[in-house]
Structures are given as structure tokens and as C-alpha cells.
Amino acid sequence: MTDMAASRPPFDRAALYRWLFLLLVAGFVAVPLIATLLGGFKSLGDLRTNPFGLPREWEWSNYGDILLSKRYWQMLWNSFVISSLTTIITLIVAAMAAFVFAHLRFFGSRMLLNYFTMGLLFPAATAILPLFIKVRDLGLLDTYFGVVLPQVAFALAMSILLFRRFFRDLPHELLEAALVDGCSYPRFFRFVTLPLSTPILATVGTITFVHSWNSYLLPLVMLNSDAMYPWPLGIMVYQGEFTADWHLILAFITLTILPTFLLFVLAQKHIVAGLTVGAVKG
């Protein structure tokens, strides 16, 4: 008995604190999501008296009526088109710009990189009036690109920084060997850099897609037609002048965040790899 106690590993108090901290953080994230999911199954009265408990009567029609409505699928399609175009254009422009900043030195390159980085300091809300005037002058009001182009502009700063960091950590010998063999910079970018950049492409793509999917202010200002509304604007349907159908709003939110939740789960491995690459290097 004494030998068994001696061979038992000592109690790791640090591991216990680590688990408790992780459970606390997980609780902060999971409780609002679970409350939103369950709130969609309640009646309005049940939601007001019992906001965090299980529904007394499961109102399946809350989700069923939304799924069977044409308006829901129209808004989901608009969100998918806007988010997909934003993600594709951001990936193309940011990857090419970051490759230049990572491997080429030219007059003003440092200043130009700092100029892009300053984009992190300006939220879209501060520039919404000049953006509206510019989009109106371009004739893009109430179109997909009237929302897509401003979103791309605001996503470039962070995307370029993430891409540049990843490209700089790729073995420099690959570029030197390719240049010796006569490979040009565009061919090296297309046939060597991009195939090795799956983690950072998934990371930037997922972040950009989710941010565009949940964007509310830009579509509210740039879109006028009800047929062009993405899902964040669809919540207004359930808000009256004096009251709001919160149980339907929670059901609507649950159904519309589900695609981005599944996207994050599927791309989680690549996202973590893309964000942590180079973290242990100087």
C-alpha cells in the first residue's frame, strides 16, 4: 500500500486551475448560445418568465415557420453571396499584396505597409458617411458590390498582416532555388507559395466570411430593397414599434448563425495552425 502511494503521481494543482479556467471561459461562450437555442423553442410568455431554463412546452413551429418561409431563404442567399464575394476578393488581393511586402524591397514599401496597417484603427462606423457618398457616386447603392467593396477594404489590413507573417516564415531557400531556375515571382507565388498556404488561407477566409456574414451597419446603409437584405436585417421583421417577438428572433438567430458555426468547426484545425504558425520563432 505504501509502495502504491509512493508511485502515484503528485497532485498537479496547476492543471486543476487550468481546467477550471477553461471551463469558466467555455461557460461564458456556451451559455448565451444554449440560451439562444432553447429560447427559440419557447413562447414569448415562457421566455420572459423562464429565460435560461428548458421550455415548458416545446414550440417547434417557431423554427418550422421560419424554415418554410421564402423570405428566410432569400436573406440567407443574399448573405451567402455577399460573404462569398467579400472572402474571395479579400483572399486574392490580400495574398498578392502580402507576398510583395514579404519578399520584395522597393522605395516606399515600408511606408505603404504602414498605410495598410493604419486601416486597423478605423472602424466602419467612423467612415460610414464618406463611404455612402462614394458608393452612391459609383452607382453601387442597393447592389451586392455596394456592400462587398467596403467590407473588402476594411478586411485588407488584418488579412495582409496575417498573410505577410506566414509568407515570411516559409523557407527562403525555396524562393532562391526557384529564382536560380528561372522562375518568376508570379509563378513562384502561384505554384509554390499558394499550395503551401492552406492554413493561412483557411484562417483568413473563415475570419473574413464570418465577419461579413454578421455585418449589420454596412448593409443597413447601402441596401434599400427588401429583396437585397442579408439575414442581420431580417431581424427587423420581428420587431414592432412597441414590442418584439423575442422568441422568434432567437429562433431566427439560431438558424442563421448555424452555417458559420459549422464552417468554424470544419476549418478549426487550419485556423489554429494559421494563427499559431511562427509563434515560437523570433
Side-chain angles (χ1 to χ4, degrees), residues 80-119:
F80 177 76
V81 172
I82 292 173
S83 301
S84 299
L85 288 174
T86 302
T87 304
I88 292 171
I89 297 175
T90 300
L91 288 178
I92 294 173
V93 176
M96 290 192 295
F99 180 81
V100 172
F101 288 127
H103 295 297
L104 297 179
R105 293 289 179 271
F106 54 91
F107 177 75
S109 61
R110 188 70 184 176
M111 184 184 66
L112 195 56
L113 177 61
N114 291 334
Y115 175 76
F116 277 111
T117 308
M118 288 176 63

Side-chain angles (χ1 to χ4, degrees), residues 18-226:
R18 189 162 54 246
W19 274 103
L20 290 176
F21 177 74
L22 291 176
L23 287 175
L24 182 64
V25 174
F28 274 113
V29 176
V31 167
L33 293 177
I34 295 174
T36 303
L37 173 66
L38 294 178
F41 285 106
K42 300 176 181 176
S43 62
L44 186 57
D46 190 14
L47 183 63
R48 287 174 175 169
T49 58
N50 180 32
F52 295 103
L54 292 174
R56 294 188 178 89
E57 291 185 7
W58 294 78
E59 301 285 346
W60 295 93
S61 59
N62 293 344
Y63 286 95
D65 292 343
I66 294 174
L67 288 173
L68 294 176
S69 67
K70 182 180 178 182
R71 179 185 172 83
Y72 167 74
W73 293 105
Q74 179 64 45
M75 289 186 293
L76 213 62
W77 170 253
N78 292 336
S79 292
F80 177 76
V81 172
I82 292 173
S83 301
S84 299
L85 288 174
T86 302
T87 304
I88 292 171
I89 297 175
T90 300
L91 288 178
I92 294 173
V93 176
M96 290 192 295
F99 180 81
V100 172
F101 288 127
H103 295 297
L104 297 179
R105 293 289 179 271
F106 54 91
F107 177 75
S109 61
R110 188 70 184 176
M111 184 184 66
L112 195 56
L113 177 61
N114 291 334
Y115 175 76
F116 277 111
T117 308
M118 288 176 63
L120 294 171
L121 304 176
F122 296 97
T126 61
I128 197 66
L129 180 58
L131 272 176
F132 174 80
I133 295 174
K134 181 58 68 178
V135 171
R136 183 199 61 188
D137 294 342
L138 293 173
L140 295 177
L141 279 181
D142 207 22
T143 65
Y144 289 139
F145 280 98
V147 180
V148 168
L149 294 181
Q151 287 184 344
V152 171
F154 282 101
L156 279 180
M158 179 60 74
S159 302
I160 289 175
L161 289 181
L162 292 173
F163 272 122
R164 178 176 175 270
R165 176 66 181 174
F166 187 91
F167 292 160
R168 285 171 63 90
D169 288 335
L170 292 177
H172 193 67
E173 291 78 8
L174 290 174
L175 176 60
E176 294 177 345
L179 294 177
V180 169
D181 291 339
C183 180
S184 63
Y185 281 103
R187 289 178 61 83
F188 179 79
F189 172 73
R190 168 66 180 84
F191 295 105
V192 179
T193 302
L194 285 184
L196 295 174
S197 305
T198 304
I200 196 63
L201 288 171
T203 301
V204 175
T206 305
I207 293 175
T208 306
F209 188 90
V210 172
H211 186 267
S212 174
W213 185 270
N214 295 327
S215 178
Y216 178 80
L217 182 60
L218 277 172
L220 179 65
V221 175
M222 304 301 174
L223 300 177
N224 299 319
S225 303
D226 190 66

